[in-house]
Amino acid sequence: MDISEKIQASSHSGATLQVLKENGEYYVCKRIHTAIDKNFDAIQKQSKFKTLCTPSYDIQAIPVTSVVKSENELLIMMPYIEGLGGEQVAYKGSKTVAKNLKKALNFYLINSLSESTDGTYPIEDVHRKLESIFQNIKDKLNYFPNIESHLTCFRAFCNKDLQMPLGPCHGDLTLANLKITEETQLFLFDFLSCDINSPIQDAAKLIQDFEYGWSFRKEKDSARIKGEIFCEHAYPSFLVTLE
């Protein structure tokens, strides 16, 4: 399996990925054919992310070399970054990597929260999102027999506007969307354009990963066990503070 096939196999975004070599440098070519406007907004978030120096890793986004948007395709070029990436961080990373990641993510969350502002997210938008989810799955209810009742209960639970910190966020901050290099750099990628931009969004994604093993859910049993042990050592303590 060549390098293009490897990064394609590890991708969860649905994009077509290819590694190219130009002037002695390697680049990742990412082609997207669905939700082009939303993915364009997401790559703008990635390109505008400012490096955050933490006690363990310097957190930065993988640089965006070029973006070409057309009606039917979004073409993105980024430098290829060598390092421990995706779900491999969980089941190949050492205890030292886990502790350093914990420091970096704690710093990231605290910084994000400090730069946010108190805001209101209207409950009507939450209900609109729930209705959109239902419309997307209503023809597949036989695969999700309890989902309709869960959506109904959740809609009843959401009965007032959400008071929450609002501000810039990655949007899909999971282990699968970061890469750690030997030069103590932590690169983020696959930013997500989301309905609610809030540090709470990033915290929720991290909880999804650290408590439920989302990034390595498809790995074999031995890898998942290693991932769970890694997550115990890497679990950001600030998530407990948020609770």
Side-chain angles (χ1 to χ4, degrees):
M1 182 182 292
D2 65 19
I3 193 168
S4 293
E5 292 175 327
K6 287 181 179 178
I7 64 169
Q8 185 67 66
S10 64
S11 174
H12 305 284
S13 66
T16 301
L17 303 175
Q18 183 181 12
V19 176
L20 306 173
K21 187 177 182 180
E22 294 184 4
N23 300 321
E25 301 291 338
Y26 288 94
Y27 295 88
V28 175
C29 175
K30 184 175 184 179
R31 297 178 183 274
I32 300 172
H33 299 99
T34 58
I36 291 176
D37 289 338
K38 187 172 183 177
N39 280 292
F40 180 76
D41 292 340
I43 200 63
Q44 297 304 309
K45 290 175 71 172
Q46 182 170 327
S47 64
K48 294 176 182 178
F49 184 85
K50 295 181 180 179
T51 299
L52 180 64
C53 297
T54 81
S56 55
Y57 296 121
D58 289 342
I59 303 177
Q60 54 191 300
I62 292 181
V64 179
T65 306
S66 66
V67 179
V68 179
K69 180 185 178 186
S70 64
E71 183 178 351
N72 300 313
E73 182 182 70
L74 185 64
L75 178 62
I76 303 167
M77 292 288 289
M78 298 172 285
Y80 175 75
I81 304 296
E82 186 68 45
L84 193 62
E87 54 272 18
Q88 292 182 336
V89 171
Y91 62 81
K92 288 187 178 181
S94 65
K95 186 181 291 186
T96 299
V97 172
K99 290 182 177 180
N100 285 336
L101 181 60
K102 178 178 182 176
K103 291 178 185 177
L105 291 176
N106 273 326
F107 199 93
Y108 173 90
L109 290 169
I110 293 170
N111 182 75
S112 296
L113 196 62
S114 68
E115 292 190 349
S116 66
T117 57
D118 292 337
T120 301
Y121 190 79
I123 198 61
E124 291 81 6
D125 288 351
V126 176
H127 290 169
R128 193 177 299 114
K129 181 67 174 180
L130 292 174
E131 179 61 26
S132 173
I133 292 172
F134 177 74
Q135 292 300 322
N136 287 333
I137 65 168
K138 66 179 181 179
D139 296 330
K140 307 180 183 67
L141 291 179
N142 56 315
Y143 295 107
F144 310 100
N146 299 318
I147 193 67
E148 187 173 6
S149 62
H150 288 321
L151 288 173
T152 300
C153 290
F154 189 63
R155 182 185 177 92
F157 176 78
C158 299
N159 55 18
K160 60 182 179 180
D161 294 343
L162 304 180
Q163 306 299 321
M164 61 193 308
L166 300 177
C169 67
H170 179 286
D172 195 15
L173 189 59
T174 65
L175 293 174
N177 290 333
L178 59 83
K179 181 170 286 192
I180 296 174
T181 73
E182 293 182 353
E183 291 76 30
T184 65
Q185 294 172 310
L186 193 160
F187 283 96
L188 306 179
F189 56 93
D190 277 356
F191 285 63
L192 181 68
S193 175
C194 39
D195 295 318
I196 305 177
N197 283 298
S198 168
I200 302 299
Q201 171 81 1
D202 285 343
K205 285 289 184 175
L206 287 174
I207 290 172
Q208 171 185 269
D209 230 14
F210 282 90
E211 295 192 8
Y212 302 102
W214 174 262
S215 288
F216 47 91
R217 67 195 184 281
K218 296 182 179 180
E219 300 300 322
K220 57 185 180 181
D221 290 345
S222 59
R224 289 203 302 272
I225 291 172
K226 291 178 182 177
E228 290 170 2
I229 294 172
F230 178 91
C231 287
E232 287 181 6
H233 293 291
Y235 195 93
S237 54
F238 192 67
L239 293 179
V240 180
T241 304
L242 285 177
E243 290 178 5

CSV table of all heavy atoms in Angstrom, one decimal, residues 101-137:
chain,number,residue,atom,x,y,z
A,101,LEU,N,0.2,15.2,25.6
A,101,LEU,CA,-1.1,15.5,24.9
A,101,LEU,C,-2.1,16.1,25.9
A,101,LEU,O,-2.8,17.0,25.6
A,101,LEU,CB,-1.6,14.3,24.2
A,101,LEU,CG,-2.9,14.5,23.4
A,101,LEU,CD1,-2.7,15.6,22.3
A,101,LEU,CD2,-3.4,13.2,22.8
A,102,LYS,N,-2.1,15.5,27.1
A,102,LYS,CA,-3.0,16.0,28.1
A,102,LYS,C,-2.7,17.4,28.4
A,102,LYS,O,-3.6,18.3,28.5
A,102,LYS,CB,-2.9,15.1,29.3
A,102,LYS,CG,-3.7,15.6,30.5
A,102,LYS,CD,-3.6,14.6,31.7
A,102,LYS,CE,-4.4,15.0,32.9
A,102,LYS,NZ,-4.3,14.0,34.0
A,103,LYS,N,-1.4,17.8,28.6
A,103,LYS,CA,-1.1,19.2,28.9
A,103,LYS,C,-1.5,20.1,27.8
A,103,LYS,O,-2.0,21.2,28.0
A,103,LYS,CB,0.5,19.3,29.1
A,103,LYS,CG,1.0,18.6,30.3
A,103,LYS,CD,2.5,18.7,30.3
A,103,LYS,CE,3.1,18.0,31.5
A,103,LYS,NZ,4.6,18.0,31.5
A,104,ALA,N,-1.2,19.7,26.5
A,104,ALA,CA,-1.5,20.5,25.4
A,104,ALA,C,-3.0,20.8,25.2
A,104,ALA,O,-3.5,21.9,25.0
A,104,ALA,CB,-1.0,19.9,24.1
A,105,LEU,N,-3.8,19.7,25.4
A,105,LEU,CA,-5.3,19.8,25.2
A,105,LEU,C,-5.9,20.7,26.4
A,105,LEU,O,-6.8,21.4,26.2
A,105,LEU,CB,-5.9,18.5,25.2
A,105,LEU,CG,-5.6,17.7,23.9
A,105,LEU,CD1,-6.2,16.3,24.0
A,105,LEU,CD2,-6.1,18.4,22.6
A,106,ASN,N,-5.4,20.5,27.6
A,106,ASN,CA,-5.8,21.3,28.7
A,106,ASN,C,-5.6,22.8,28.4
A,106,ASN,O,-6.4,23.7,28.6
A,106,ASN,CB,-5.1,21.0,30.0
A,106,ASN,CG,-5.8,19.8,30.8
A,106,ASN,OD1,-7.0,19.7,30.8
A,106,ASN,ND2,-5.0,19.0,31.4
A,107,PHE,N,-4.4,23.1,27.9
A,107,PHE,CA,-4.0,24.5,27.6
A,107,PHE,C,-4.9,25.0,26.5
A,107,PHE,O,-5.4,26.1,26.5
A,107,PHE,CB,-2.5,24.5,27.1
A,107,PHE,CG,-1.9,25.9,27.2
A,107,PHE,CD1,-1.2,26.3,28.3
A,107,PHE,CD2,-2.0,26.7,26.1
A,107,PHE,CE1,-0.6,27.5,28.4
A,107,PHE,CE2,-1.4,28.0,26.2
A,107,PHE,CZ,-0.7,28.4,27.3
A,108,TYR,N,-5.1,24.2,25.5
A,108,TYR,CA,-6.0,24.5,24.3
A,108,TYR,C,-7.4,24.9,24.8
A,108,TYR,O,-8.0,25.9,24.4
A,108,TYR,CB,-6.0,23.4,23.3
A,108,TYR,CG,-7.0,23.6,22.2
A,108,TYR,CD1,-6.6,24.3,21.0
A,108,TYR,CD2,-8.3,23.2,22.3
A,108,TYR,CE1,-7.5,24.4,20.0
A,108,TYR,CE2,-9.2,23.4,21.2
A,108,TYR,CZ,-8.8,24.0,20.1
A,108,TYR,OH,-9.7,24.2,19.1
A,109,LEU,N,-8.0,24.0,25.6
A,109,LEU,CA,-9.4,24.3,26.1
A,109,LEU,C,-9.5,25.5,26.9
A,109,LEU,O,-10.4,26.3,26.8
A,109,LEU,CB,-9.9,23.1,26.8
A,109,LEU,CG,-10.1,21.8,26.0
A,109,LEU,CD1,-10.3,20.6,26.9
A,109,LEU,CD2,-11.3,22.0,25.1
A,110,ILE,N,-8.5,25.7,27.9
A,110,ILE,CA,-8.5,26.9,28.7
A,110,ILE,C,-8.4,28.2,27.9
A,110,ILE,O,-9.1,29.2,28.1
A,110,ILE,CB,-7.4,26.8,29.8
A,110,ILE,CG1,-7.7,25.7,30.8
A,110,ILE,CG2,-7.3,28.1,30.5
A,110,ILE,CD1,-6.6,25.3,31.7
A,111,ASN,N,-7.5,28.1,26.9
A,111,ASN,CA,-7.3,29.3,26.0
A,111,ASN,C,-8.5,29.6,25.2
A,111,ASN,O,-8.9,30.7,25.1
A,111,ASN,CB,-6.1,29.0,25.1
A,111,ASN,CG,-5.8,30.2,24.2
A,111,ASN,OD1,-5.2,31.2,24.6
A,111,ASN,ND2,-6.1,30.1,22.9
A,112,SER,N,-9.1,28.5,24.7
A,112,SER,CA,-10.4,28.7,23.9
A,112,SER,C,-11.5,29.3,24.7
A,112,SER,O,-12.2,30.2,24.3
A,112,SER,CB,-10.8,27.4,23.3
A,112,SER,OG,-9.9,26.9,22.4
A,113,LEU,N,-11.6,28.8,25.9
A,113,LEU,CA,-12.7,29.4,26.8
A,113,LEU,C,-12.4,30.8,27.2
A,113,LEU,O,-13.3,31.6,27.3
A,113,LEU,CB,-12.8,28.5,28.1
A,113,LEU,CG,-14.1,28.6,28.9
A,113,LEU,CD1,-15.3,28.3,28.1
A,113,LEU,CD2,-14.0,27.8,30.1
A,114,SER,N,-11.1,31.2,27.4
A,114,SER,CA,-10.8,32.5,27.8
A,114,SER,C,-11.0,33.5,26.7
A,114,SER,O,-11.3,34.7,26.9
A,114,SER,CB,-9.3,32.6,28.3
A,114,SER,OG,-8.4,32.4,27.2
A,115,GLU,N,-11.0,33.0,25.4
A,115,GLU,CA,-11.2,33.9,24.3
A,115,GLU,C,-12.6,33.9,23.8
A,115,GLU,O,-12.9,34.6,22.9
A,115,GLU,CB,-10.2,33.5,23.1
A,115,GLU,CG,-8.8,33.7,23.4
A,115,GLU,CD,-7.9,33.5,22.2
A,115,GLU,OE1,-8.4,32.9,21.2
A,115,GLU,OE2,-6.7,33.8,22.2
A,116,SER,N,-13.5,33.2,24.4
A,116,SER,CA,-14.9,33.2,24.1
A,116,SER,C,-15.6,34.2,24.8
A,116,SER,O,-15.1,34.9,25.7
A,116,SER,CB,-15.5,31.8,24.4
A,116,SER,OG,-15.5,31.6,25.8
A,117,THR,N,-16.9,34.5,24.3
A,117,THR,CA,-17.7,35.4,25.0
A,117,THR,C,-19.1,34.7,25.3
A,117,THR,O,-19.5,33.8,24.7
A,117,THR,CB,-18.0,36.6,24.1
A,117,THR,OG1,-18.6,36.1,22.8
A,117,THR,CG2,-16.8,37.4,23.8
A,118,ASP,N,-19.7,35.2,26.4
A,118,ASP,CA,-21.0,34.6,26.8
A,118,ASP,C,-22.0,35.0,25.7
A,118,ASP,O,-22.1,36.1,25.3
A,118,ASP,CB,-21.4,35.2,28.1
A,118,ASP,CG,-20.6,34.7,29.3
A,118,ASP,OD1,-19.9,33.6,29.1
A,118,ASP,OD2,-20.5,35.3,30.3
A,119,GLY,N,-22.7,34.0,25.3
A,119,GLY,CA,-23.7,34.2,24.2
A,119,GLY,C,-24.9,33.3,24.4
A,119,GLY,O,-25.1,32.5,25.3
A,120,THR,N,-25.9,33.5,23.4
A,120,THR,CA,-27.1,32.8,23.4
A,120,THR,C,-27.3,32.1,22.1
A,120,THR,O,-27.1,32.7,21.0
A,120,THR,CB,-28.3,33.7,23.7
A,120,THR,OG1,-28.2,34.4,24.9
A,120,THR,CG2,-29.6,32.9,23.7
A,121,TYR,N,-27.6,30.8,22.1
A,121,TYR,CA,-27.9,30.1,20.9
A,121,TYR,C,-29.4,29.7,21.0
A,121,TYR,O,-29.9,29.1,21.9
A,121,TYR,CB,-27.1,28.8,20.8
A,121,TYR,CG,-27.2,28.1,19.5
A,121,TYR,CD1,-26.5,28.5,18.4
A,121,TYR,CD2,-28.1,27.0,19.3
A,121,TYR,CE1,-26.6,27.9,17.2
A,121,TYR,CE2,-28.2,26.4,18.1
A,121,TYR,CZ,-27.5,26.8,17.0
A,121,TYR,OH,-27.6,26.2,15.8
A,122,PRO,N,-30.2,30.3,20.0
A,122,PRO,CA,-31.7,30.1,20.1
A,122,PRO,C,-32.2,28.7,20.0
A,122,PRO,O,-31.7,27.9,19.2
A,122,PRO,CB,-32.1,31.0,18.9
A,122,PRO,CG,-31.0,31.0,17.9
A,122,PRO,CD,-29.8,31.0,18.8
A,123,ILE,N,-33.1,28.4,20.8
A,123,ILE,CA,-33.6,27.0,20.9
A,123,ILE,C,-34.3,26.6,19.6
A,123,ILE,O,-34.4,25.4,19.2
A,123,ILE,CB,-34.6,26.8,22.1
A,123,ILE,CG1,-34.7,25.3,22.4
A,123,ILE,CG2,-35.9,27.5,21.8
A,123,ILE,CD1,-33.5,24.7,22.8
A,124,GLU,N,-34.8,27.6,18.8
A,124,GLU,CA,-35.4,27.3,17.5
A,124,GLU,C,-34.5,26.7,16.6
A,124,GLU,O,-34.8,25.8,15.8
A,124,GLU,CB,-36.0,28.6,16.9
A,124,GLU,CG,-37.2,29.2,17.6
A,124,GLU,CD,-36.8,30.1,18.8
A,124,GLU,OE1,-35.6,30.2,19.0
A,124,GLU,OE2,-37.7,30.5,19.6
A,125,ASP,N,-33.2,27.1,16.6
A,125,ASP,CA,-32.2,26.5,15.8
A,125,ASP,C,-31.9,25.1,16.2
A,125,ASP,O,-31.6,24.2,15.3
A,125,ASP,CB,-30.9,27.3,15.8
A,125,ASP,CG,-31.0,28.7,15.1
A,125,ASP,OD1,-32.1,28.9,14.4
A,125,ASP,OD2,-30.1,29.5,15.2
A,126,VAL,N,-31.9,24.8,17.5
A,126,VAL,CA,-31.8,23.4,17.9
A,126,VAL,C,-32.9,22.5,17.4
A,126,VAL,O,-32.7,21.4,16.8
A,126,VAL,CB,-31.7,23.3,19.5
A,126,VAL,CG1,-31.6,21.9,19.9
A,126,VAL,CG2,-30.6,24.1,20.0
A,127,HIS,N,-34.1,23.0,17.5
A,127,HIS,CA,-35.3,22.2,17.0
A,127,HIS,C,-35.2,22.1,15.5
A,127,HIS,O,-35.5,21.0,14.9
A,127,HIS,CB,-36.6,23.0,17.3
A,127,HIS,CG,-36.9,22.9,18.8
A,127,HIS,ND1,-37.9,23.7,19.4
A,127,HIS,CD2,-36.3,22.2,19.8
A,127,HIS,CE1,-37.9,23.5,20.7
A,127,HIS,NE2,-36.9,22.6,21.0
A,128,ARG,N,-34.7,23.1,14.8
A,128,ARG,CA,-34.5,23.0,13.3
A,128,ARG,C,-33.5,21.9,12.9
A,128,ARG,O,-33.7,21.2,12.0
A,128,ARG,CB,-34.1,24.4,12.7
A,128,ARG,CG,-34.2,24.5,11.2
A,128,ARG,CD,-33.9,25.9,10.8
A,128,ARG,NE,-34.8,26.9,11.3
A,128,ARG,CZ,-34.4,27.8,12.2
A,128,ARG,NH1,-33.2,27.9,12.6
A,128,ARG,NH2,-35.3,28.7,12.6
A,129,LYS,N,-32.4,21.9,13.7
A,129,LYS,CA,-31.4,20.8,13.5
A,129,LYS,C,-32.0,19.4,13.7
A,129,LYS,O,-31.7,18.5,13.0
A,129,LYS,CB,-30.2,21.1,14.4
A,129,LYS,CG,-29.1,20.1,14.2
A,129,LYS,CD,-28.4,20.2,12.9
A,129,LYS,CE,-27.2,19.4,12.8
A,129,LYS,NZ,-26.5,19.5,11.4
A,130,LEU,N,-32.7,19.3,14.8
A,130,LEU,CA,-33.3,18.0,15.1
A,130,LEU,C,-34.3,17.5,14.0
A,130,LEU,O,-34.3,16.4,13.6
A,130,LEU,CB,-34.1,18.0,16.4
A,130,LEU,CG,-33.2,18.2,17.7
A,130,LEU,CD1,-34.1,18.4,18.9
A,130,LEU,CD2,-32.3,17.0,17.9
A,131,GLU,N,-35.0,18.5,13.5
A,131,GLU,CA,-35.9,18.2,12.4
A,131,GLU,C,-35.2,17.8,11.1
A,131,GLU,O,-35.5,16.8,10.4
A,131,GLU,CB,-36.8,19.4,12.0
A,131,GLU,CG,-37.8,19.1,10.9
A,131,GLU,CD,-38.8,18.0,11.1
A,131,GLU,OE1,-39.1,17.7,12.3
A,131,GLU,OE2,-39.3,17.4,10.1
A,132,SER,N,-34.0,18.4,10.9
A,132,SER,CA,-33.2,18.1,9.7
A,132,SER,C,-32.6,16.7,9.9
A,132,SER,O,-32.6,15.9,8.9
A,132,SER,CB,-32.0,19.1,9.6
A,132,SER,OG,-31.1,18.7,8.6
A,133,ILE,N,-32.2,16.3,11.1
A,133,ILE,CA,-31.7,15.0,11.3
A,133,ILE,C,-32.8,13.9,11.0
A,133,ILE,O,-32.6,12.9,10.4
A,133,ILE,CB,-31.2,14.8,12.8
A,133,ILE,CG1,-30.0,15.7,13.0
A,133,ILE,CG2,-30.9,13.4,13.1
A,133,ILE,CD1,-29.5,15.8,14.5
A,134,PHE,N,-34.0,14.2,11.5
A,134,PHE,CA,-35.1,13.3,11.3
A,134,PHE,C,-35.4,13.1,9.8
A,134,PHE,O,-35.6,12.0,9.3
A,134,PHE,CB,-36.3,13.7,12.1
A,134,PHE,CG,-37.5,12.8,11.8
A,134,PHE,CD1,-37.6,11.6,12.4
A,134,PHE,CD2,-38.6,13.2,11.0
A,134,PHE,CE1,-38.7,10.7,12.2
A,134,PHE,CE2,-39.6,12.4,10.8
A,134,PHE,CZ,-39.7,11.1,11.4
A,135,GLN,N,-35.4,14.2,9.1
A,135,GLN,CA,-35.7,14.1,7.7
A,135,GLN,C,-34.7,13.3,6.9
A,135,GLN,O,-35.0,12.6,5.9
A,135,GLN,CB,-35.8,15.5,7.1
A,135,GLN,CG,-37.0,16.4,7.5
A,135,GLN,CD,-38.3,15.7,7.2
A,135,GLN,OE1,-38.5,15.1,6.1
A,135,GLN,NE2,-39.3,15.8,8.1
A,136,ASN,N,-33.4,13.4,7.4
A,136,ASN,CA,-32.4,12.7,6.7
A,136,ASN,C,-32.4,11.2,7.0
A,136,ASN,O,-31.9,10.4,6.2
A,136,ASN,CB,-31.0,13.2,7.2
A,136,ASN,CG,-30.7,14.6,6.6
A,136,ASN,OD1,-31.2,14.9,5.5
A,136,ASN,ND2,-29.9,15.3,7.3
A,137,ILE,N,-33.1,10.8,8.1
A,137,ILE,CA,-33.1,9.3,8.4
A,137,ILE,C,-34.5,8.7,8.4
A,137,ILE,O,-34.6,7.5,8.6
A,137,ILE,CB,-32.5,9.1,9.8
A,137,ILE,CG1,-33.3,9.8,10.9
A,137,ILE,CG2,-31.0,9.6,9.9
A,137,ILE,CD1,-33.0,9.3,12.3
